């Protein structure tokens, strides 16, 4: 009876998932996962037509040639963590690079080397299912390899790869879904990466294990909708730029694989915000090339080939042009998804200011084309979000080609309790003290606090956002405004009303050298200079203090804080600081700084 039940369930599962199965069986050229239709021929033409395309193909080919002589990737774990992601990602990068050069040149040596890499990955005892991201990324790599190179393998090799993909990828994935593992219900990057990797593995197994393929594809597409909803309403990502990159990369892998296989994406690409999400990383990168790195994000972003796919799919050549202008080593998918249309953000008419309500962040800049432009990235946020730090109301500031107000970013994930809410916020880089926020009695913000950007305005002479921060601290009403005046002067203004006497500290983290005279400060960083003035309250003065952290934390070498200390404040007050090119802001700039925040959006 049990056997019959299982058979029936498998049949029902296959029937339900049948519309999801690919229309192309393995080996029926030109079908290849993530390469729909004439993608390879289109890439050849686009690469040849653009000088940077020629250079990218040369660089990717050079990397592939290096791999011909390299040993297969070894099974390695991150220092201090039982996490195998470095190996999974190395295998994926190698498969994509070798595949790109094989498809674009026709040289079989690269296909043969890729098969060796895939078989070595299959020889591992497992793909570390205890940290399922590792399994999902390796399943993606091996599934892609099976689809791309399986036709050139022997029958025995192909069987080995398919069996490994099933036993080390798909079956652990079924176990995760059966126990409703946290990522199957999550709204963050884990959901998209794990489901994306499983879906690609399932598509690759469509011929070898059709029942399991259909079942996993159905489970993955049902679950992944939860996290795709996090792009709503406007494409922002509350986990910050680094995890936008990770989540969106796998969202694109999934959609590109479904498209190439002729499978239904169940409306994922059409979900609110997804078509606009490329704008998020465009605006979250300052003219310095550094990211507005809130949450556990880094300042320096890797190159992201999936931006080329997004730009082509949704007709956004400015995002392709921005990716093309980025520094760093190109990947295999940069060559295979190389765009045939590029533009600068300015030429495409991209606004210089942006609000992302879902992520609760806003960005303002004086120009797209000037590397010395003024840029402000500011946030409300949600302290309970995945990878969140206690930074409601924080900001970054670029001027003169330098980042003057910085975010410290993440610390070492191997620190004890780094992701444990009971310990995480004891570490400076996660605590409120490690951010450009208003500190109240030196305490952390509330872990359950959230802050909307209550107002937003974008005009040539005055652009602003106001964060509603009342929930950030107990016993304090607080609003913070950020503004760009005449595209030259930046303002940060706080309105606070303590319920009882409180010690307040305004602070900004920086790498600049500082000269202070009362309420005036001159910040110098390499060849750039920025002036800061306390407009309110009268008589307040700047100070500088170290931003060091004790071991084993990152010591924050070279970083200090520009501060304003206001002890035992019991009455409502305003704190307004102006940043600009000279010691004295014009009268209308100071006037804006003194204007009540409730009037900023309409003044």
């Amino acid at each position: 009876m049990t056997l019959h039940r299982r058979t029936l369930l498998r049949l029902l599962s296959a029937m339900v998932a049948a519309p999801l199965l690919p229309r192309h069986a393995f080996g029926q050229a030109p079908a290849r996962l993530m390469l729909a239709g004439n993608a390879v021929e289109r890439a050849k033409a686009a690469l040849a037509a653009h000088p940077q395309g020629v250079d990218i193909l040369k660089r990717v080919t050079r990397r592939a040639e290096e791999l011909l002589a390299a040993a297969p990737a070894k099974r390695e774990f991150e220092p201090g963590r039982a996490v195998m992601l470095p190996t999974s990602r190395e295998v994926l990068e190698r498969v994509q690079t070798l595949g790109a050069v094989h498809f674009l040149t026709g040289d079989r040596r690269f296909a043969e080397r890729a098969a060796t890499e895939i078989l070595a990955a299959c020889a591992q005892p497992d793909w570390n299912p205890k940290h399922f991201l590792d399994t999902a990324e390796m399943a993606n790599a091996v599934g892609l390899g099976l689809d791309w190179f399986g036709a050139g393998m022997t029958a025995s090799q192909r069987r080995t790869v398919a069996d490994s993909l099933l036993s080390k990828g798909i079956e652990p994935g079924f176990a995760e879904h059966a126990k409703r593992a946290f990522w199957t219900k999550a709204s963050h990057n884990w959901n998209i990466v794990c489901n994306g990797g499983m879906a690609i593995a399932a598509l690759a197994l469509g011929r070898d294990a059709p029942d399991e393929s259909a079942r996993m594809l159905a489970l993955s597409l049902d679950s992944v909708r939860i996290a795709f909803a996090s792009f709503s309403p406007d494409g922002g990502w509350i986990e910050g730029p680094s995890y936008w990159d990770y989540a969106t990369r796998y969202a694109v892998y999934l959609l590109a694989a479904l498209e190439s296989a002729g499978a239904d994406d169940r409306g994922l690409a059409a979900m609110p915000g997804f078509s606009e999400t490329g704008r998020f990383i465009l605006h979250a990168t300052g003219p310095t090339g550094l990211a507005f790195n809130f949450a556990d994000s880094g300042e320096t972003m890797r190159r992201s080939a999936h931006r080329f796919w997004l730009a082509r799919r949704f007709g956004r050549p400015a995002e392709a042009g921005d990716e093309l202008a980025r520094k760093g080593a190109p990947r295999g998918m940069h060559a295979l998804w190389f765009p045939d249309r590029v533009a600068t953000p300015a030429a495409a008419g991209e606004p210089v200011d942006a609000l992302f309500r879902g992520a609760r962040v806003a960005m303002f800049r004086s120009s797209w084309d000037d590397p010395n432009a003024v840029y402000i990235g500011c946030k409300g946020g949600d302290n309970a979000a995945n990878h969140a730090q206690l930074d409601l109301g924080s900001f970054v500031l670029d001027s003169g080609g330098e980042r003057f107000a910085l975010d410290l970013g993440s610390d070492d994930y191997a620190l004890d309790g780094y992701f444990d809410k009971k310990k995480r916020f004891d570490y400076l880089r996660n605590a409120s003290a490690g951010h450009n926020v208003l500190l109240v009695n030196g305490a952390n913000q509330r872990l359950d606090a959230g802050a909307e950007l209550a107002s937003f305005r974008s005009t040539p002479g005055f652009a602003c956002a106001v964060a509603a921060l009342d929930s950030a601290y107990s016993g304090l009403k607080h609003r913070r405004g950020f503004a760009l005046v005449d595209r030259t002067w930046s303002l940060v203004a706080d309105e606070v009303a303590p319920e009882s006497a409180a010690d307040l500290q305004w602070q900004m983290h920086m790498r600049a050298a500082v000269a202070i005279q009362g309420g005036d400060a001159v910040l110098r960083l390499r060849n750039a200079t920025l002036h800061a003035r306390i407009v309110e309250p009268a008589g307040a003065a700047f100070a500088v203090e170290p931003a060091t952290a004790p071991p084993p934390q990152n010591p924050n070498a070279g970083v200090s804080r520009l501060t304003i200390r206001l002890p035992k404040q019991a009455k409502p007050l305003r704190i307004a600081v102006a940043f600009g090119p000279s010691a004295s802001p014009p009268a209308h700039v100071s006037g804006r700084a003194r204007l009540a925040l409730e009037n900023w959006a309409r003044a």
Side-chain angles (χ1 to χ4, degrees), residues 295-298 389 407-413 418 429-430 554:
D296 278 323
S297 290
Q389 299 169 337
D407 188 292
L408 293 171
S410 63
D411 212 321
D412 186 349
Y413 284 11
Y418 190 83
R429 288 186 168 218
N430 298 329
N554 189 313

Side-chain angles (χ1 to χ4, degrees), residues 435-448:
H435 293 89
N436 303 332
V437 301
L438 190 68
L439 285 183
V440 181
N441 296 321
N444 273 334
Q445 294 177 353
R446 293 174 51 181
L447 272 62
D448 61 349

Side-chain angles (χ1 to χ4, degrees), residues 462 491 535-536 574 585-596 600:
F462 186 67
L491 304 177
V535 179
E536 292 185 302
R574 299 186 87 254
H588 73 285
V589 173
S590 297
R592 289 282 190 180
R594 294 188 176 96
L595 187 66
W600 271 22

Side-chain angles (χ1 to χ4, degrees), residues 199-282:
I200 291 169
L203 288 167
L205 283 170
R207 190 184 81 171
D208 297 276
D211 291 347
E212 291 85 351
S213 171
R215 182 180 164 210
M216 178 53 73
L217 196 57
L219 288 169
S220 297
L221 294 186
D222 280 345
S223 174
V224 82
R225 294 187 68 83
I226 300 169
F228 261 75
S230 295
F231 290 107
S232 179
D234 45 28
W237 194 254
I238 204 161
E239 292 182 283
S242 291
Y243 285 94
W244 174 90
D245 182 74
Y246 193 27
T248 308
R249 189 186 329 149
Y250 268 80
V252 166
Y253 287 168
L254 171 60
L255 293 172
L258 291 168
E259 178 187 30
S260 62
D264 183 4
D265 76 357
R266 289 190 173 182
L268 291 173
M271 289 186 70
F274 188 74
S275 64
E276 302 175 70
T277 197
R279 294 184 64 243
F280 174 70
I281 203 65
L282 188 67

Side-chain angles (χ1 to χ4, degrees), residues 3 83 165 170 234 293 298 410 414 468 508 537 542 562 601:
L3 181 62
V83 173
L165 194 56
I170 296 294
D234 45 28
N293 56 317
S410 63
M508 184 183 94
F542 284 121
L562 183 68

Side-chain angles (χ1 to χ4, degrees), residues 319-602:
E319 293 162 22
D322 183 71
E323 175 62 23
L324 201 57
R326 291 200 174 209
K327 298 178 181 179
R331 310 286 175 133
M333 299 311 296
H334 277 99
L336 288 171
W337 286 340
F338 194 82
D340 44 19
R341 290 178 57 222
V342 298
T344 65
E350 181 66 29
V352 287
D353 306 323
L355 168 67
F356 295 94
R357 292 195 178 279
R360 307 182 195 182
V361 295
M363 302 85 163
F364 308 93
R365 71 182 71 218
S366 58
S367 169
W368 281 113
D369 298 329
D370 181 4
N372 296 316
V374 179
Y375 172 84
I376 308 171
C378 59
K379 70 187 298 289
D382 181 357
N383 285 347
N386 195 50
H387 284 287
Q389 299 169 337
L390 302 184
D391 63 350
L392 305 182
S394 195
F395 67 98
V396 297
L397 172 62
D398 291 359
S399 179
E402 300 291 347
R403 171 131 314 165
F404 277 96
L406 61 89
D407 188 292
L408 293 171
S410 63
D411 212 321
D412 186 349
Y413 284 11
L415 287 170
D416 181 45
Y418 190 83
F419 292 110
D420 180 347
K421 292 292 179 72
K422 294 179 180 179
K423 297 181 179 180
R424 175 174 171 79
F425 304 111
D426 293 336
Y427 295 120
L428 179 64
R429 288 186 168 218
N430 298 329
S432 298
H435 293 89
N436 303 332
V437 301
L438 190 68
L439 285 183
V440 181
N441 296 321
N444 273 334
Q445 294 177 353
R446 293 174 51 181
L447 272 62
D448 61 349
E452 302 289 342
L453 292 179
S455 61
F456 173 83
R457 178 181 180 182
S458 177
T459 65
F462 186 67
C464 68
V466 176
L469 300 165
D470 287 354
S471 69
Y473 303 97
S474 299
L476 185 84
K477 293 187 179 299
H478 182 202
R479 287 203 160 204
R480 168 169 274 195
F482 310 89
L484 194 54
V485 186
D486 299 336
R487 301 289 155 176
T488 303
W489 288 87
S490 306
L491 304 177
V492 178
D494 293 282
E495 293 177 347
V496 296
E499 292 180 1
S500 58
D503 293 334
L504 305 180
Q505 178 171 310
W506 184 102
Q507 60 180 29
M508 184 183 94
H509 290 75
M510 60 188 179
R511 296 187 182 93
V514 185
I516 292 173
Q517 188 171 2
D520 290 292
V522 182
L523 286 64
R524 292 186 173 87
L525 186 55
R526 287 178 278 272
N527 295 321
T529 300
L530 183 68
H531 294 263
R533 169 168 287 187
I534 302 173
V535 179
E536 292 185 302
F542 284 121
V544 176
E545 63 181 45
T548 54
Q553 298 179 60
N554 189 313
N556 306 320
V559 179
S560 59
R561 295 188 189 97
L562 183 68
T563 66
I564 306 168
R565 290 185 176 274
L566 300 165
K568 305 208 180 297
Q569 298 296 312
K571 295 181 180 180
L573 79 156
R574 299 186 87 254
I575 308 165
V577 180
F579 300 92
S582 63
S584 298
H588 73 285
V589 173
S590 297
R592 289 282 190 180
R594 294 188 176 96
L595 187 66
L597 294 180
E598 65 180 359
N599 295 321
W600 271 22
R602 57 177 180 265

